[in-house]
Amino acid sequence: MLKVTKLTKRFGGLTALENVSFKVAKNEILGVIGPNGSGKTTLINVINGIHKPDNGDIFFRDKSIGRLSSYQIAKKGIGRTFQVTRIFRRMSVMENMMVPALSISRSGNQEALLHKSLGILTLLKIVHLKDEYGRSLSGGQHKLLELGRVLMLDPDLILLDEPFAGVHPELKADLHDHIRKLHGQGKTFILISHDMHSIFSLSQRLMVLSSGKKIAHGTPEEIKQNEEVIEAYLGN
Amino acid sequence: MVLFLAAMALPVALDGYGLHILIIAYYYALLASSWCLLAGYAGQFSFAHAALAAVGAYTSALLVLNTDISPVFSIPIGSVAAAGVGFCIGFLCLRLQGPYLALFTIAFSEIFRIVLNAEYRYTGGNFGLNVPPLFSQESRILYYYTILGILILSLAIMHKIVKSRLGLFFRAVREDEEAAATLGVNVIKYKILAFVITSFFAGLAGGFYAHYVRILTPNIIQLPQMGLIIAMVVIGGIESLAGAVAGALILQLAAEYLRDYEELRWVFFGLLLVITLRFSQNGLIYPIYKRLTKKSEKDHAESD
């Protein structure tokens, strides 16, 4: 579904990603781990079009998306969340949900879209907040709303950047359930997390980045045994 | 509805001077509401709005003076010209935010004012440009109903925009451009559109003003003019078209009634602006309006 070839991204003198190549199959959950500053978020930002790659390319369903803008990539079916949530604070929860809904369906039936967003909010257990302003929600609710907004895009590939950071354990369990359920419905994920328990239990495959380079990839079991990964990141 | 009927009936009760004050107040209301759409909804804090009104005013005036065209046609052409300039500003400011956008638009306004001054052979410079009137009759009532009609129609269109998909995207862009883009919103397109649409209304207001006041000087672009428009919107309610209109009417009328205090009245408005920004960021008038409508809804529900 997604193929990244020899991706390089530099910021001035700093090479944030260097020659990173990998593939994500349809309906797979790929976990990306690595120390702080290893290039995980940059990777998502480049896939998602916020940054343009300096070298290499990205193919989504065999078509190059490396030069497209964020909004075009979103319309092609790639959604993302942010490490620090970025919901629209002076807009209601429902309005937050309607932005992606209306951006992808120009002539969409408004009633149907409202119905769809209510369905997603119910699933995420925040439907009672639908008329609240974004700014009045808690941190955990922001995470849920951001996921809800992404789902309104109806994306095939979802990029989740630290979805479990600073989240209450109960909510974390809920988020696990949501990811599993969506995976069951055929969605593909790239998941970044420092939460080792979550990422090892959810991912089918893991990729490890260190200083912008891919140092390992494999199943969670293989990664746990990998000497280089243990040294660079996992420790003993 | 009550307000509309009152506005329709007002000319009966007012003399020429009173009508003049209201006509100018409606002109400011159109400028304030369109700036509210640009800054309050779309988040583009531009200082070029008065200059865009001047683009509409001078384009229309010079067209009438140099061709046989009637103001009825030249005013819309002036509005389109302002929208064109708005497009250029929007395009050039794509990557500018906050203070940088403000500085760019202040610079644009000042340059435009200086050009109007310098090119006095065409624009009349500081001596002023004598502009033919919109109507051949000397009737303020005609002007009153014309600007009232323009204002109501413009507000209806802007209200429709605010409630539409376009308005939702404007607000999303205001909140977080990057996040909006990742949700499929073409940020560049909507930022430019915000400038084009609101510049059109500024140009429309300017065009009418030129053919009503009949003398144009570059002073209509002076920074205090822009400050007055901003004060009207901020005091009225930056995210409310009705608030902006109310702010414009109240400030304009207050400015007239406080005329005896001369420059002191601007100090008073400045203080009001500072107090609003500090204590009530969505204006002083909009929250009162909201509370009143909520209360009346509640009363209604209770009486049911």
Side-chain angles (χ1 to χ4, degrees):
Chain A
M1 172 165 269
L2 186 84
K3 190 169 92 177
V4 173
T5 54
K6 296 186 174 170
L7 199 65
T8 299
K9 178 69 200 170
R10 294 183 204 93
F11 295 107
L14 177 85
T15 305
L17 289 171
E18 193 176 341
N19 259 328
V20 175
S21 301
F22 66 94
K23 282 182 188 173
V24 188
K26 190 170 164 43
N27 198 212
E28 186 180 23
I29 302 182
L30 173 75
V32 181
I33 58 173
N36 286 334
S38 59
K40 304 184 296 293
T41 297
T42 305
L43 178 67
I44 282 196
N45 284 344
V46 176
I47 294 174
N48 168 242
I50 287 181
H51 300 316
K52 298 278 173 278
D54 291 318
N55 260 320
D57 207 347
I58 304 155
F59 298 89
F60 182 59
R61 293 197 197 105
D62 297 325
K63 286 198 178 113
S64 168
I65 57 164
R67 301 282 146 205
L68 296 184
S69 303
S70 280
Y71 82 94
Q72 293 168 314
I73 291 171
K75 285 184 176 178
K76 287 205 176 285
I78 300 180
R80 73 164 291 176
T81 63
F82 292 89
Q83 190 168 357
V84 178
T85 51
R86 292 172 75 166
I87 60 154
F88 305 136
R89 296 173 64 81
R90 283 198 288 159
M91 290 166 73
S92 74
V93 166
M94 206 57 182
E95 285 170 336
N96 266 274
M97 296 290 278
M98 289 309 281
V99 169
L102 290 169
S103 80
I104 55 163
S105 73
R106 193 175 187 84
S107 55
N109 175 348
Q110 194 114 350
E111 279 294 308
L113 294 175
L114 283 171
H115 189 74
K116 183 181 169 188
S117 57
L118 283 175
I120 290 173
L121 291 174
T122 309
L123 187 82
L124 296 173
K125 299 179 192 163
I126 49 171
V127 73
H128 58 289
L129 302 168
K130 67 182 169 59
D131 297 322
E132 295 292 327
Y133 271 102
R135 62 177 173 227
S136 57
L137 269 56
S138 71
Q141 288 162 344
H142 281 184
K143 293 262 180 199
L144 290 169
L145 175 56
E146 218 178 41
L147 181 61
R149 251 179 10 181
V150 168
L151 294 179
M152 286 305 285
L153 278 176
D154 224 346
D156 293 321
L157 173 64
I158 302 174
L159 316 171
L160 298 177
D161 193 354
E162 296 285 1
F164 313 113
V167 163
H168 187 269
E170 224 168 87
L171 184 61
K172 195 194 285 183
D174 277 353
L175 280 170
H176 278 216
D177 284 346
H178 294 316
I179 294 171
R180 288 208 173 92
K181 214 177 273 174
L182 291 164
H183 180 236
Q185 291 167 10
K187 304 279 186 205
T188 309
F189 286 89
I190 296 180
L191 176 62
I192 292 179
S193 182
H194 274 114
D195 184 326
M196 288 302 126
H197 170 72
S198 297
I199 204 156
F200 274 86
S201 69
L202 286 167
S203 308
Q204 294 158 316
R205 238 165 19 100
L206 283 164
M207 175 167 83
V208 188
L209 293 178
S210 179
S211 305
K213 290 180 192 147
K214 179 170 126 179
I215 59 166
H217 71 277
T219 63
E221 282 313 308
E222 287 166 351
I223 294 296
K224 272 183 196 163
Q225 312 297 330
N226 187 308
E227 293 287 331
E228 203 179 345
V229 178
I230 293 169
E231 197 173 309
Y233 185 49
L234 292 178
N236 295 314
Chain B
M1 195 64 199
V2 178
L3 287 176
F4 173 70
L5 288 177
M8 289 299 283
L10 265 175
V12 181
L14 290 172
D15 59 3
Y17 177 65
L19 273 182
H20 170 72
I21 292 170
L22 273 182
I23 291 169
I24 298 296
Y26 291 161
Y27 156 75
Y28 276 116
L30 182 51
L31 281 182
S33 53
S34 50
W35 190 76
C36 166
L37 182 59
L38 179 65
Y41 286 91
Q44 307 303 308
F45 214 93
S46 159
F47 277 77
H49 216 58
L52 288 158
V55 171
Y58 275 93
T59 306
S60 180
L62 290 173
L63 267 176
V64 174
L65 287 170
N66 295 305
T67 63
D68 284 339
I69 196 170
S70 146
V72 176
F73 298 108
S74 70
I75 292 175
I77 295 173
S79 311
V80 172
V85 176
F87 173 87
C88 297
I89 293 178
F91 185 76
L92 291 170
C93 292
L94 273 179
R95 298 198 182 280
L96 301 182
Q97 282 174 337
Y100 300 100
L101 174 66
L103 286 173
F104 180 96
T105 47
I106 288 173
F108 166 79
S109 302
E110 277 301 289
I111 291 168
F112 187 50
R113 191 175 65 82
I114 292 164
V115 168
L116 287 177
N117 256 331
E119 295 297 328
Y120 59 88
R121 273 170 302 170
Y122 307 104
T123 63
N126 263 340
F127 297 114
L129 185 68
N130 284 311
V131 186
L134 179 57
F135 301 112
S136 47
Q137 298 102 309
E138 277 284 328
S139 159
R140 281 224 164 93
I141 291 184
L142 264 179
Y143 284 99
Y144 177 87
Y145 283 119
T146 306
I147 186 68
L148 182 64
I150 290 174
L151 177 64
I152 291 173
L153 192 66
S154 305
L155 282 173
I157 295 170
M158 284 191 270
H159 180 74
K160 187 108 183 134
I161 289 171
V162 165
K163 295 289 170 201
S164 72
R165 177 176 182 267
L166 188 59
L168 191 72
F169 290 170
F170 279 173
R171 290 165 66 210
V173 168
R174 172 196 72 195
E175 292 294 296
D176 189 328
E177 289 181 16
E178 243 171 38
T182 64
L183 296 171
V185 178
N186 184 348
V187 173
I188 293 177
K189 177 174 144 189
Y190 290 104
K191 270 174 103 167
I192 292 180
L193 256 179
F195 273 102
V196 170
I197 293 169
T198 56
S199 303
F200 178 87
F201 289 118
L204 188 60
F208 171 84
Y209 179 84
H211 295 283
Y212 168 65
V213 178
R214 292 192 232 164
I215 184 134
L216 269 183
T217 66
N219 288 347
I220 61 166
I221 314 180
Q222 274 183 341
L223 206 53
Q225 275 292 315
M226 197 57 231
L228 184 60
I229 296 168
I230 293 174
M232 287 167 170
V233 178
V234 171
I235 292 169
I238 195 151
E239 204 185 326
S240 156
L241 292 174
V245 171
L249 298 182
I250 291 171
L251 251 66
Q252 179 58 22
L253 296 181
E256 281 305 320
Y257 281 103
L258 300 174
R259 201 166 263 281
D260 291 345
Y261 296 93
E262 293 173 4
E263 298 303 312
L264 260 182
R265 59 197 165 140
W266 306 122
V267 176
F268 170 69
F269 291 154
L271 273 176
L272 203 58
L273 184 63
V274 172
I275 291 168
T276 311
L277 285 171
R278 175 65 187 83
F279 296 106
S280 175
Q281 286 180 358
N282 206 13
L284 296 177
I285 297 160
Y286 180 67
I288 297 170
Y289 166 77
K290 217 160 177 199
R291 192 162 287 182
L292 284 177
T293 49
K294 248 193 188 156
K295 193 171 177 290
S296 71
E297 264 172 30
K298 217 173 151 190
D299 292 347
H300 215 72
E302 275 169 10
S303 68
D304 287 345

